[in-house]
Amino acid sequence: MSSQVIKCSFLHRLLVPLTTVALLFTLTGCTSQQSQSNNSTVASSNIRANSAEPKTLVLKVGFISSESKLPIGPEGWALQKGTLTPALKSLGVTEVKFIPFVGGPALNEALVSGQLDMGLYGDTPALVGRAAGLPTRLINQTRVGQNAWLITNKNDVKSVAQLKGTKIGVAKGTYPHRYLMGLLEKEGLAKDVKIVQIPSADAKPALERGDIAAYPFAMGAGPTLASQGFPVIDQAKDHQGLVGTGVSVVTENFLSRHPELPQKWNQIRQQALQEIKANPEEFYQFAAQVSGNVPLAIAKESYPLDLYPTEPFTPQGLKLLNSTKQFLAEQKLLKSDFDIKDWQIPNY
């Protein structure tokens, strides 16, 4: 499959739900015009209906995981400790529901369709979604410097150079995908390998069968496979600009109804980070547990404390975010260009 086909397929998957939602908005608008003509005759009924509205608000937050029950970071920590929901009580939030997704494109689709109010995921799918018209605002960068591990099977490829002429798997639209594209470009191999879409959950069997020569794994999975004897031939952290960042986004619809959410969310996150850095071993035990009881050594390698910035935005984080956006634009994977400053919500 050519790189152009890959790019078109990737964008098509994102844009189809966006087009569908646009149609729904149009239909909803037509219905609203009809209902407005009847408003004057049912005013008293509306008042009674408003008084009967439910007084509960479930904040639905998507995150990326194949194993974890909660986001591994201050957000999941705060929920586990029982401090997250009470801190959002002033917004009317009575429950925070974290919903796992296997990849960024699927999370984008859930944001488009209104299934989510917020998303915690990698910068690459968040940027692609925003460029395609996904109505989100950037609350913060949850992680800065996410590593990725390029892993091969145990018998064949021993170096990046030996990937020439092979087939490489990747979960498209993820931050490891961006790392892989950047690495191949840097090594002059972009036109000499075949990239195939493989979900991360299916990557290990594909390597073992020899269906693919290599696969870029994210945090958690990468160190786990390395501990099982799978060769690591490259890591994102060894290349300036190829590490990923994680972001928190909120839909513009939810933000319009709850404009105080970003400030409150960042305050909660900052408090949780203070607790985490004061109790690192307890945090790693939490990370290991919610990851499916992985060894502590795996949790420590995957989620070092310096991965989590204490401020919503940092110069280093914004530099990486802009670098990723520029690379995606150069690869023609962004439907439109935009300024990060116009996307992000200012620091509080």
Side-chain angles (χ1 to χ4, degrees):
M1 182 182 298
S2 68
S3 59
Q4 184 62 34
V5 172
I6 293 169
K7 294 169 187 173
C8 292
S9 172
F10 176 53
L11 287 175
H12 178 266
R13 183 178 175 189
L14 179 63
L15 293 176
V16 167
L18 286 173
T19 304
T20 302
V21 171
L23 177 59
L24 289 174
F25 285 163
T26 302
L27 294 175
T28 303
C30 293
T31 304
S32 298
Q33 291 177 2
Q34 293 176 345
S35 62
Q36 286 174 2
S37 65
N38 300 323
N39 281 348
S40 60
T41 63
V42 295
S44 60
S45 298
N46 284 344
I47 293 174
R48 289 193 297 272
N50 289 338
S51 65
E53 286 181 357
K55 298 184 181 299
T56 61
L57 175 61
V58 178
L59 179 63
K60 301 179 291 296
V61 185
F63 72 104
I64 305 302
S65 174
S66 58
E67 297 288 344
S68 302
K69 303 173 183 177
L70 292 172
I72 300 176
E75 301 84 2
W77 170 276
L79 186 69
Q80 180 95 330
K81 289 293 184 180
T83 59
L84 180 59
T85 306
L88 295 171
K89 185 178 179 180
S90 62
L91 278 67
V93 174
T94 54
E95 180 185 355
V96 178
K97 186 175 182 181
F98 284 114
I99 305 170
F101 288 82
V102 296
L107 194 152
N108 274 339
E109 291 176 8
L111 286 168
V112 168
S113 63
Q115 299 175 48
L116 296 175
D117 305 307
M118 289 181 59
L120 313 179
Y121 59 147
D123 51 16
T124 295
L127 288 164
V128 171
R130 178 65 180 184
L134 185 59
T136 60
R137 293 295 302 278
L138 183 63
I139 294 178
N140 60 39
Q141 288 180 277
T142 57
R143 298 166 175 167
V144 174
Q146 294 184 136
N147 197 15
W149 290 255
L150 186 59
I151 290 178
T152 69
N153 61 38
K154 299 178 181 180
N155 301 315
D156 299 325
V157 175
K158 306 297 182 183
S159 69
V160 175
Q162 292 180 2
L163 290 173
K164 185 174 182 179
T166 67
K167 185 186 299 183
I168 303 175
V170 69
K172 297 174 186 175
T174 62
Y175 86 86
H177 183 203
R178 181 269 184 270
Y179 152 67
L180 177 63
M181 292 190 300
L183 176 66
L184 295 176
E185 189 84 10
K186 180 180 179 181
E187 299 296 325
L189 296 173
K191 298 180 180 179
D192 297 319
V193 299
K194 183 177 182 180
I195 306 297
V196 294
Q197 160 68 17
I198 297 180
S200 57
D202 300 331
K204 180 182 176 181
L207 279 174
E208 292 175 322
R209 291 192 303 267
D211 294 346
I212 53 176
Y215 193 96
F217 288 90
M219 299 173 298
T224 297
L225 290 177
S227 70
Q228 296 172 359
F230 285 84
V232 178
I233 61 172
D234 195 77
Q235 295 186 52
K237 69 177 184 178
D238 296 330
H239 305 278
Q240 185 176 4
L242 292 188
V243 291
T245 69
V247 300
S248 300
V249 302
V250 60
T251 65
E252 291 181 351
N253 179 43
F254 191 89
L255 183 63
S256 68
R257 291 181 285 118
H258 304 280
E260 65 273 38
L261 172 69
Q263 180 178 11
K264 182 67 68 175
W265 189 266
N266 283 329
Q267 289 172 347
I268 296 167
R269 183 179 176 278
Q270 190 170 53
Q271 177 61 41
L273 272 174
Q274 291 176 358
E275 296 174 7
I276 286 171
K277 293 186 177 182
N279 303 278
E281 289 303 315
E282 186 179 355
F283 169 70
Y284 288 127
Q285 290 172 3
F286 157 76
Q289 178 187 7
V290 299
S291 297
N293 294 313
V294 302
L296 275 177
I298 300 298
K300 290 182 178 182
E301 184 176 357
S302 295
Y303 309 104
L305 295 187
D306 60 6
L307 186 66
Y308 304 98
T310 56
E311 297 297 325
F313 301 104
T314 64
Q316 179 191 4
L318 289 173
K319 182 179 179 180
L320 281 170
L321 190 61
N322 277 286
S323 174
T324 297
K325 184 175 79 74
Q326 180 180 351
F327 181 85
L328 292 172
E330 291 170 353
Q331 295 292 311
K332 303 188 185 307
L333 288 173
L334 296 184
K335 180 173 172 53
S336 65
D337 195 12
F338 64 96
D339 196 319
I340 296 293
K341 292 180 180 179
D342 296 333
W343 185 32
Q344 72 182 102
I345 298 173
N347 284 355
Y348 290 95

